[in-house]
Amino acid sequence: MIIKLHKEISSSEITSPEVFKTRRTLIKTGLAALTVGSGLFSNIANSSAENLNIEQPQSTDRKLINNYTNYYEFSYNKEDASTLAQKLRIDPWQIEVAGAVEKPGNYHLEDILRRNPSQERIYRFRCVEAWSMVVPWQGFPLADLINFLQPTSRARFVEFTTIAQPEIMPNLNRNSMLTWPYREALRLDEAMHPLTILATGMYGESLAKQNGAPLRLVVPWKYGFKSIKAIIKINFLENPPITSWNLSAPDEYGFYANVNPEVPHPRWSQRSERVLGSNFFTPRRATQIFNGYAEQVASLYSQMDLKRYF
Ligand code: MTE
């Protein structure tokens, strides 16, 4: 993604006075596209892939995905992370759990995986850059982990942080459009939705490092930048956290980032998408609201103006 400098957004649009008090204007504007919807604490029961009743589209050819990634810590082009990310050591891997939660601490990934058996989820994946693919992920519902960790009644948001290692991640040493570490967040009810998974594999194999090994988020109804890679921290918060792309360019990358053909990016339309693997003669695919998962997720946003809270 390429960004231009952010524009100021009036403070009356910002919905979180607590954060407002303590941060710089730049950071405050990052919260402009954020509101708290209704049904925040709805706790959706455990679900397996079978009872989600979602379409199972044809997966994209794996060879196309291997060298086509967005991993900005390593590179701003699509190809280089497949080589550069191999330097990342992913075993052992710990995840810090913090904030408004009954069971904070440092968890070994292997212990988390032992408790959460892997399921396959074939999901459409839509990048904000207007290309798309279909990925057969292996992973488990984030809700299962959250239920185990027991957020307190104060928790309303879940923040995720990626590992940051300047020794092996070239862009951490450069002047960058993003501030590191890469951070993303969901409302708690979005995090608890049965479609939201933590992925450990794809195409029946362990996740490739360039795709976010050993553990990444996958939120199929949102633009791909929400699906943060190589997670080392999960933080439960009362107030909306700062997220990387929203901080860099709040008028281009909203907090919600729900796939929506009616809300153009300021510099391109989101009405259609280039399907990865298509050629010059293949027509672009019409983009679907919530990336085709409206039946499952639209109710999360029933009280919201999706154009304002994009
Ligand atoms: N996570 C981290 N840590 N760093 C990144 O640069 N890029 C995001 C997301 N997660 C990114 C990230 C973007 S913009 C997209 S589209 C998806 O990862 C791409 O996932 P993929 O490379 O596995 O296709």
Side-chain angles (χ1 to χ4, degrees), residues 11 20 47 54 69-70 96 116 129 155-156 164 167 184 188 201 233 240 252 266 271 277 283 296:
S11 57
F20 192 79
S47 58
I54 52 171
T69 59
N70 279 338
E96 181 189 349
N116 294 282
E129 297 162 339
R156 300 193 304 159
E167 339 59 276
E184 259 312 329
L188 183 59
K233 184 171 179 187
E252 302 192 14
R271 287 201 177 279
Q296 290 80 16

Coordinates of all heavy atoms in Angstrom, one line a residue, residues 11 20 47 54 69-70 96 116 129 155-156 164 167 184 188 201 233 240 252 266 271 277 283 296:
S11 N -11.8 17.2 15.7 CA -11.8 16.4 16.9 C -13.2 16.0 17.3 O -13.4 15.0 18.0 CB -11.2 17.2 18.1 OG -11.9 18.4 18.2
F20 N -8.1 10.7 23.7 CA -7.9 12.1 23.2 C -7.1 12.9 24.1 O -6.2 13.7 23.7 CB -9.4 12.7 23.2 CG -9.5 13.9 22.5 CD1 -9.6 14.0 21.1 CD2 -9.6 15.1 23.2 CE1 -9.7 15.2 20.4 CE2 -9.8 16.3 22.5 CZ -9.8 16.3 21.1
S47 N -17.7 -22.7 17.3 CA -18.3 -23.2 16.1 C -17.2 -23.9 15.3 O -16.0 -23.5 15.3 CB -18.8 -22.0 15.3 OG -17.7 -21.1 15.1
I54 N -20.8 -21.4 5.2 CA -20.2 -20.5 4.2 C -19.8 -21.2 2.9 O -19.5 -22.4 2.9 CB -19.0 -19.7 4.8 CG1 -18.0 -20.7 5.4 CG2 -19.4 -18.7 5.8 CD1 -16.7 -20.1 5.8
T69 N 3.3 -11.4 -1.4 CA 2.9 -11.1 0.0 C 3.1 -9.7 0.4 O 3.9 -9.0 -0.3 CB 3.7 -12.0 1.0 OG1 5.1 -11.6 0.8 CG2 3.6 -13.4 0.8
N70 N 2.4 -9.2 1.3 CA 2.6 -7.9 1.9 C 3.1 -8.1 3.3 O 2.4 -8.6 4.2 CB 1.3 -7.1 2.0 CG 0.9 -6.4 0.7 OD1 1.8 -6.2 -0.1 ND2 -0.4 -6.1 0.6
E96 N 2.5 -12.9 24.6 CA 2.2 -12.2 25.8 C 0.7 -11.8 25.8 O 0.2 -11.3 24.8 CB 3.0 -10.9 26.0 CG 2.8 -10.2 27.2 CD 3.4 -8.8 27.2 OE1 4.3 -8.5 26.3 OE2 3.0 -8.0 28.1
N116 N -6.0 -26.0 21.2 CA -6.9 -25.6 20.1 C -6.6 -26.3 18.9 O -5.8 -25.9 18.0 CB -6.7 -24.1 19.9 CG -7.1 -23.3 21.1 OD1 -8.3 -23.0 21.3 ND2 -6.2 -22.8 21.9
E129 N -5.8 -3.1 -1.6 CA -5.2 -2.6 -2.9 C -6.1 -3.1 -4.1 O -5.7 -3.0 -5.2 CB -3.8 -3.2 -3.0 CG -2.8 -2.7 -2.0 CD -1.6 -3.5 -1.9 OE1 -1.6 -4.7 -2.3 OE2 -0.6 -3.0 -1.4
A155 N -13.0 -5.2 29.2 CA -12.4 -5.4 27.9 C -13.4 -5.1 26.8 O -14.5 -5.7 26.7 CB -11.9 -6.8 27.8
R156 N -13.1 -4.2 25.9 CA -14.0 -3.9 24.7 C -13.2 -4.0 23.4 O -13.9 -4.1 22.3 CB -14.6 -2.6 24.8 CG -15.4 -2.4 26.1 CD -16.3 -1.2 26.1 NE -15.5 0.0 25.9 CZ -15.9 1.2 25.5 NH1 -17.2 1.3 25.2 NH2 -15.1 2.2 25.3
A164 N 9.0 -7.4 16.3 CA 9.8 -6.4 15.7 C 11.2 -6.7 15.9 O 11.7 -6.6 17.0 CB 9.4 -5.0 16.2
E167 N 17.2 -6.3 13.4 CA 18.4 -7.0 12.9 C 18.1 -7.7 11.6 O 18.9 -7.9 10.7 CB 19.0 -8.0 13.8 CG 18.9 -8.0 15.3 CD 17.5 -8.1 15.9 OE1 16.9 -7.1 16.0 OE2 17.1 -9.2 16.2
E184 N -2.5 -4.1 15.1 CA -3.9 -4.1 14.6 C -4.8 -4.4 15.8 O -4.4 -4.8 16.9 CB -4.1 -5.2 13.5 CG -4.1 -4.6 12.1 CD -5.0 -3.4 12.0 OE1 -6.0 -3.3 12.7 OE2 -4.7 -2.5 11.2
L188 N -14.1 -6.3 20.5 CA -14.2 -7.6 21.2 C -15.2 -8.5 20.4 O -15.0 -9.7 20.2 CB -14.5 -7.5 22.6 CG -14.5 -8.9 23.4 CD1 -13.2 -9.6 23.3 CD2 -14.9 -8.6 24.9
G201 N -1.5 -22.4 9.6 CA -1.1 -23.1 8.3 C -2.0 -22.6 7.2 O -3.0 -21.9 7.3
K233 N 1.8 -10.4 20.8 CA 1.1 -9.9 22.0 C -0.4 -9.7 21.7 O -0.7 -9.3 20.6 CB 1.7 -8.5 22.4 CG 1.1 -8.0 23.6 CD 1.9 -6.7 24.1 CE 1.2 -6.2 25.4 NZ 1.7 -4.9 25.8
P240 N -10.3 2.2 22.5 CA -9.8 1.9 21.2 C -8.3 2.1 21.0 O -7.9 3.2 21.3 CB -10.6 2.7 20.2 CG -11.2 3.8 21.1 CD -11.4 3.3 22.5
E252 N -7.5 7.1 4.7 CA -7.4 6.1 3.7 C -7.7 4.7 4.3 O -8.2 3.8 3.6 CB -6.0 6.1 3.1 CG -5.6 7.4 2.5 CD -4.4 7.3 1.6 OE1 -4.0 6.2 1.3 OE2 -3.9 8.4 1.3
P266 N -9.7 6.8 -1.1 CA -9.6 8.1 -1.7 C -8.9 8.1 -3.1 O -9.1 9.0 -3.9 CB -8.7 8.9 -0.7 CG -8.9 8.2 0.6 CD -9.2 6.7 0.2
R271 N -15.0 -1.0 -6.1 CA -16.2 -1.7 -6.6 C -15.8 -3.1 -7.2 O -16.6 -4.0 -7.3 CB -16.8 -0.9 -7.7 CG -17.6 0.2 -7.2 CD -18.6 0.8 -8.1 NE -19.4 1.8 -7.5 CZ -20.3 1.6 -6.6 NH1 -20.7 0.4 -6.3 NH2 -20.9 2.6 -6.0
G277 N -4.1 -14.5 -10.2 CA -4.0 -15.6 -11.2 C -4.8 -15.3 -12.4 O -4.7 -16.1 -13.4
P283 N -12.2 -10.7 -16.8 CA -12.9 -9.6 -16.2 C -12.6 -9.5 -14.7 O -12.4 -10.5 -14.0 CB -14.4 -9.8 -16.5 CG -14.5 -11.2 -16.9 CD -13.2 -11.7 -17.3
Q296 N -23.2 -13.6 7.7 CA -22.7 -13.9 9.0 C -22.4 -12.7 9.8 O -22.4 -12.8 11.0 CB -21.4 -14.7 8.8 CG -21.6 -16.1 8.2 CD -21.7 -16.2 6.7 OE1 -21.5 -15.2 6.0 NE2 -22.2 -17.3 6.2

